[in-house]
Amino acid sequence: MSDTIRTDAPPEAAARRTGEFLPKLQLTGDHDLCPGCGEPLAVRTLLEAITDVGMTHQCVGVIGIGCYTALTSNMNVDLIQALHGRAPSLATGAKRMRPDTLFFTLQGDGDMASEGLQEVIHTAARGENVTCILINNGVFGETGGHMTATTVLGQRTKNSIEGRDADYHGYPIDMMAMLAPLGGTAYAARGTVHDAKGVARTRRMVRRAFETQLRGDGFSIVEILTMCPTGWFIPTAEGPGYLDEVLRSVHGTGEWKRDGELLTQAAVPPGDDEDLLA
Amino acid sequence: MSDTIRTDAPPEAAARRTGEFLPKLQLTGDHDLCPGCGEPLAVRTLLEAITDVGMTHQCVGVIGIGCYTALTSNMNVDLIQALHGRAPSLATGAKRMRPDTLFFTLQGDGDMASEGLQEVIHTAARGENVTCILINNGVFGETGGHMTATTVLGQRTKNSIEGRDADYHGYPIDMMAMLAPLGGTAYAARGTVHDAKGVARTRRMVRRAFETQLRGDGFSIVEILTMCPTGWFIPTAEGPGYLDEVLRSVHGTGEWKRDGELLTQAAVPPGDDEDLLA
Amino acid sequence: MTRRLMEGSEAMAEAAIAAGCRFFAGYPMTPFTELLEHFAAKLPDEGGTCVNAESELEAVGMAWGACATGFRAATGSTGQGLSLMQESLSEMTRAELPLVVFNMSRGQSDYFQATRGGGHGDYRHLVLAPIDVTEAIEHVQTAFHLAEKWRNPVLIYGDYLLAHTAEAVEVAPLELDQLPETDWAVDGTRSGTGNPRNVNSIGMIPGIKGIDPETFWKRLQAKHDAIAESEARFESESTEDAEVLVVAFGSMARFARHVVRELRGEGIRVGYFRPVTLWPFPSDALRAAAEGVQRVAVLEQNAGQMIDDVRLSVLGAAPVSAIGGISSDEAGFGVGPLLDVDRIRGRVEAALETGGGER
Amino acid sequence: MTRRLMEGSEAMAEAAIAAGCRFFAGYPMTPFTELLEHFAAKLPDEGGTCVNAESELEAVGMAWGACATGFRAATGSTGQGLSLMQESLSEMTRAELPLVVFNMSRGQSDYFQATRGGGHGDYRHLVLAPIDVTEAIEHVQTAFHLAEKWRNPVLIYGDYLLAHTAEAVEVAPLELDQLPETDWAVDGTRSGTGNPRNVNSIGMIPGIKGIDPETFWKRLQAKHDAIAESEARFESESTEDAEVLVVAFGSMARFARHVVRELRGEGIRVGYFRPVTLWPFPSDALRAAAEGVQRVAVLEQNAGQMIDDVRLSVLGAAPVSAIGGISSDEAGFGVGPLLDVDRIRGRVEAALETGGGER
Amino acid sequence: MEREILLTGIGGQGVQLAAEVLARAATREQRHVMTLGTYGGTMRGGNTDACIVIADTAISTPPLVSRAWAGFGMHPRYWEPVSEKLRPSGVAALNSSLFAEFDGAREDVTPLRVDTDALATEADAPMGGALVLAAAFSAATVLVTFDSLVEAMNEALPPYRRQHAEANTRALHAGWAAVETPITDAWNPGATT
Amino acid sequence: MEREILLTGIGGQGVQLAAEVLARAATREQRHVMTLGTYGGTMRGGNTDACIVIADTAISTPPLVSRAWAGFGMHPRYWEPVSEKLRPSGVAALNSSLFAEFDGAREDVTPLRVDTDALATEADAPMGGALVLAAAFSAATVLVTFDSLVEAMNEALPPYRRQHAEANTRALHAGWAAVETPITDAWNPGATT
Amino acid sequence: MTTIRGTVVIAEERCKGCELCVPACPPDVLRMSERRNEIGARVPELLAGCTGCGACLLACPDFCFEVYRYEAPQEHMPGGDA
Amino acid sequence: MTTIRGTVVIAEERCKGCELCVPACPPDVLRMSERRNEIGARVPELLAGCTGCGACLLACPDFCFEVYRYEAPQEHMPGGDA
Ligand SMILES: Cc1ncc(C[n+]2csc(CCOP(=O)(O)OP(=O)(O)O)c2C)c(N)n1
Ligand SMILES: Cc1ncc(C[n+]2csc(CCOP(=O)(O)OP(=O)(O)O)c2C)c(N)n1
Ligand code: SF4
Ligand code: SF4
Ligand code: SF4
Ligand code: SF4
Ligand code: SF4
Ligand code: SF4
Ligand SMILES: [Mg+2]
Ligand SMILES: [Mg+2]
């Protein structure tokens, strides 16, 4: 159609490339996650933040088990594959032996808040100098969309198709509220990838978490809310809106703890909200 | 010595027995716990509180593993012996099948805050209608006095003989701060047995926790600070003072959540502080 | 009779409920997930409870609690999840609790864990390995019965094929012996009587200080010996004049039996033997079936585990060789290329050719 | 040479450090606790790290992480704690990580778990069972060596006696072959190169979508076959003309050996065989040692586990019977009345009387 | 009489639902039925296959068959291994929208080509391609009746997919109507047209 | 020459420390040494036993012996099984404060009675009873020297018990001084007095 | 006539048709086309008015966008091509 | 002369000599005696002035106390016995 602009090749007029397909630390863009899944976006912010803090060649990831695990073959990063829920302990042992390397875990809500809740809390309480990245979609995506320990009241999942009900299913755990107050936690923030601004802010959060680790200040965590249209049984296009309305109303975004200080109100990480790609 | 009063038989003058050696639900007083140990005192309050709420013949305990386990043969209560750390899950399954029976767990800090932290948090988040009793002495008493996840900064244990140090050993977990805010927690309080008033108050806390359960309001927990002179490597007589100064300065006593409402300041459970035996 | 199309998971859940199971707890993991889903969907209508536990450790703990109060209860998982439950399975066996466990295994590589106990200490639990959905419906009911009869956990060893194959079946209640009333469970009513109960794994007795694990564990060993004596089950076909005896269990046996029938149809002298219980292993029956054969060919989908029990049964009387092996799909769910009638037929034919030759 | 009095736990910790172990994590449990205490006391001075983990699950995870970065690392526990680690031990074996695990067992009832793997799936780890503190000092060093040589976990199977017996010993470094540089660990320096590493248990390869577990696991099986071929170790005495061959491992072997020496001293024809590695089990050596004997008498402190391996070795050539059994002190720590030279002597004598008679 | 059917497609094409509908329909008609769905790798991406066995008598064959009476191809990417397993004079039902030309390797099987994409779009059931083919295949082989198919489809839908029932019925109808005369009679092969 | 010593007492009496001190002292004197402490049940309550083997050559016997050269009794409650294991003409070192009279069953062993409670109190080392007996036993059997005992005791104390070193030394001294002449010579039995 | 300050390259072969990029674009210059790629997904197309802000890149889970900013803004005539 | 409103019975055989009861007693009428029981523990003794408050009972980990309140307060003469 003549109204459209060609998008199959770089522009002919003089132009600067301001955004590349892939982050530096990503090998390929091709993956098997569902259409509209938010997890690849979370992984993008993570990989970009590593480069941001200059640790491109000095970082190791410890990976949990969930849909995002399939993305690890795309990652240009030294990795240790953990068992479901156990990544923070592996990161602890690894970081203790290689204190100059940047260590992060990549875990889902099923991995971190259900199967491995104890691991992350103890790691935080000990003040281990590692960064945990929690991808929270409120479901076990990988097994078909079941409720997890973070699924918010009212959320649709395979076993709460009418929405999670407190009396029947119990209450969700707010991971920030639980982890931020611990003595060993130096940085805690929750971001989202349901819109571009959220993605840009999340990247700044992850960057700050890494800076915390590099200063040796102790445990840092960034939770990232992601869409799972498959596990929520909704059309892909409705994912971002559903996340914003349902998940985010309970799991509020912002910084919860910074430089070891608990913030009374979740704060936006400083930086330029308008220049999305910085 | 002629200044002393005979104590080997009941008084001859008319007198009312206001306090018996043993609570109704205790079979014998003889046990192998160390001199000056606070755990038998905690168990006393628990057993008395069961009788207080009229569930003497309709209660089941689920027991963790620690020094207190040796006290269970003294208990006149139907019991399930759990593995180390796992009692809250057992209580969950049991209570679901017998909703009219009073269920409690009896666990130490090693059991609940170290090995089994995840179990109790999930049980609380689900709002299971059970009561967990945490005996917190800040050590694995049974294995010889090692640090646990609740050991406070500065506390002496076998592996922190100069006192727990945050940089080296990490930070203690405040179980009330962690459990009270959870959606499924209806009642949370921390008592102590380092003096008689503390014992009397603790009994009132346990009673209220049981009442919470009997009303079906959800999860209830009472943490009880106890002396462990053996694990603290101090003379028995110094136990109560050490508890008061060291443990209690971090793990403050009082009610943290009541009727599902978080209290901003830990409150004394209502009742008569002067009539110790009521 | 109206048959309904049910996948194995659904049929097993229905059979469990028909057998009186009123509690289930589990954590999703392929190919066990659907079993959990079916229990979650069906139990509430029968007045039962299904908890979507936050981990396998918690799931088995919940089932333990439910069991201890005298209700029929079950849990299950696969692979990693089963491994996490081993501590509890060991202790529950020693606490003599009649738990039923569904291992929807990824392939057959948990044979050792299932039959020797992956946990600590001396303990054994019964293992039933159904060949298809129809048999699974029976086995599940038998499992609850045996668990209560012996006060011992029973494990159902299935796999992806069993869990996901749908068959047109009917869940018909089995006729089973009447069992005595449960007199060991705790319900709280003995509290305060001076004679309470303590459900434990080390021989604690209310009112008696200390424990006596040796006596307690020796009594358990005697019980396990009695189970071994009386509960071994097997199925066999065409063993009389067989030159090669094919031994297989579970889904692999379904392939083995089909191949043996095909070959027998062509007049070839092969036999088929299937341990229906993996523990106790039907050693006597296998020894008898192997009498006179030139070779025992063990078809299992793993690196060689049941072959130990086959050798311990045959004890040198005939050469025993493996004709199975590791086989997996790309996801590691155990649906590997070995699961193929032609391929297996080829291996049996090769064993026929070798005969009693190489050992 | 100056010997120092060290309990087994201390000697093993020192030997581990001498072997280059720089990371340890554990959770206290009798009789393993002191090993943790000694590592905690000694490692920091050697630039190493010991973490008092909050549970066994976390302890093994920490050791996993340390191992994956290319450092020699260990963990350990007993009973329940070891059971909790089985999931990780299975996966670490398949991730080819050279972890050393100390099982200070309560008695000998974890033989199956140690030799067959209590976890899921097909995997094997080496098991060394020292007879005394002196040998433990060697075994610990050998363990780290073999673990790295084969990139496979190695378990040291000890018990209360080994952990707590103090002996006057010297921790002398063993002469061991030079191993190639570690080229499989992750230290972060390959990140960003386009050719990073992924330490995993299922055959994931960076840049390649999907996995191929079958190929990966078959390669592992081949490695395990190679270990089985080459690493079996044993000790034997007086087997030549023995009428009864006593087979025992670990601490029980110390009793058995002493009894056999006593009896030989009196001219009685008994022999002694000890598997030094429990996996691989020295089957060929045992078969050879059992040649011509009237009876193989298996002394193990459990309900009968190693006896399977003995039978699988002897394969009917001589009757095999158990002369051990469950035995425990009141606390369940495994220091039972069976641990008595006179009692064991009596049982060996009874076996001599039975000879090849009853089976 | 034992009728093995192998289905293949790629994720999202609805092959598993089609297999379940065929199996349930046959169950309703009192046959012995066994079916198993398998996925290449995970549930996301990759192939999605299924095997159905329908018989007059108890089924002895395992749920993964080495040889089959019919193949059912929604996408050509993983068709080859299915094709290889077909018995001589078997049936191959193919989504002609994607199978440009029939796989020449098997001239000994009878093809049934259905333009499922077009029919599904026409029926306003864009996700219903596999059901179109299933219905066409049933009609062409007299495997099960149309009513059984519709009832089976309703039975097979989980509660959270109920809203698709109508579109699915239209898809079945479109497929059934697309076949004028059967090409074989599954239960009465002598009567082959 | 192999010298087995069985020690018994109840919790809190310091028997384990005494055993360790004896074993360390012998180690300092270049002997082969093996020792094992065992507890009845748990560390709280119940008996506390230990076994020491000291030898000139490598030790073959396991750490729990069936027969012993000497018994060392701090409390009579669990003395009997120890007494039964003593070899004829062995030695029995007894805390006479609690062993009212010597166990008549073994008239074939030489008793060494030490009023440990009194000596310990006198030495202002109220917790040092077992060390008193250990020193007396060593002096009476020429098992190890006094210096070795003191050095061994210092070696054996964990950092958090260092404050007891002086009292312990006094206890050792009191026990050593209480023996005028040896009753046997452990390493030179011919020279028995 | 529309001012175009930036543009994008779309890796259509990776697109899964999730439509997330469409609402993410602030000037609303992305829309789903009728074109389908190999795996059958409908892919987006670009209308005139891109600012080169990068929102689409951040919103796309399949790494389909590369973003450019023109050195000098371009003008687009309806019916023509940039 | 001291008023005694209550008294206690002490199960000395169970006492482990921990001394916790002594500071627990509000009127300070418990003190450790020189007497030792079977297991060698020093046991407490009661001086005149007990109020029957029960603090000792609540403080003793070995269940050694039974508490009585006199119907009428008793008077104690130093040197005598209650
Ligand atoms: C011990 C264990 N239990 C269960 C599983 C199965 N399993 C794999 S991924 C997964 C859910 C992961 O959920 P989450 O971490 O939220 O990741 P998501 O799939 O949502 O990205 C489960 C339960 C497993 N791999 N290991
Ligand atoms: C899985 C497991 N790990 C370790 C142990 C050993 N263990 C027994 S009791 C105990 C400590 C208990 O501490 P706590 O719960 O605080 O009770 P306390 O002894 O202080 O009363 C430990 C570590 C065990 N029984 N099980
Ligand atoms: S199931 Fe959910 S989390 Fe997993 S890939 Fe699909 S959308 Fe993403
Ligand atoms: S070790 Fe501590 S907790 Fe255990 S019995 Fe002794 S004083 Fe009590
Ligand atoms: S760069 Fe910005 S304006 Fe351009 S297409 Fe992407 S989102 Fe729209
Ligand atoms: S967001 Fe990406 S995958 Fe989704 S429609 Fe747009 S270009 Fe395609
Ligand atoms: S009852 Fe009160 S006053 Fe009397 S002895 Fe006890 S604590 Fe003291
Ligand atoms: S508190 Fe009890 S055990 Fe302690 S000294 Fe007093 S009476 Fe004895
Ligand atoms: Mg998730
Ligand atoms: Mg404790």
Side-chain angles (χ1 to χ4, degrees), chain G residues 11-17 33-44 64:
Chain G
E12 286 189 6
E13 71 285 2
R14 278 208 289 268
C15 173
K16 292 190 182 133
S33 72
E34 288 304 313
R35 232 175 23 261
R36 288 178 186 269
N37 65 10
E38 265 193 317
I39 62 159
R42 279 171 63 212
V43 300
C64 299

Side-chain angles (χ1 to χ4, degrees), chain D residues 24 134 156 180 341:
Chain D
F24 194 87
T134 306
I156 307 273
V341 168

Side-chain angles (χ1 to χ4, degrees), chain B residues 67-114:
Chain B
C67 291
Y68 46 86
T69 312
L71 291 173
T72 58
S73 59
N74 299 17
M75 289 168 64
N76 189 358
V77 176
D78 274 1
L79 299 177
I80 308 173
Q81 178 61 50
L83 277 166
H84 194 41
R86 316 275 159 233
S89 294
L90 274 68
T92 295
K95 177 75 181 185
R96 295 282 191 115
M97 299 318 287
R98 301 227 176 247
D100 297 334
T101 301
L102 183 76
F103 278 93
F104 63 90
T105 72
L106 180 63
Q107 307 176 256
D109 51 324
D111 195 87
M112 186 189 282
S114 296

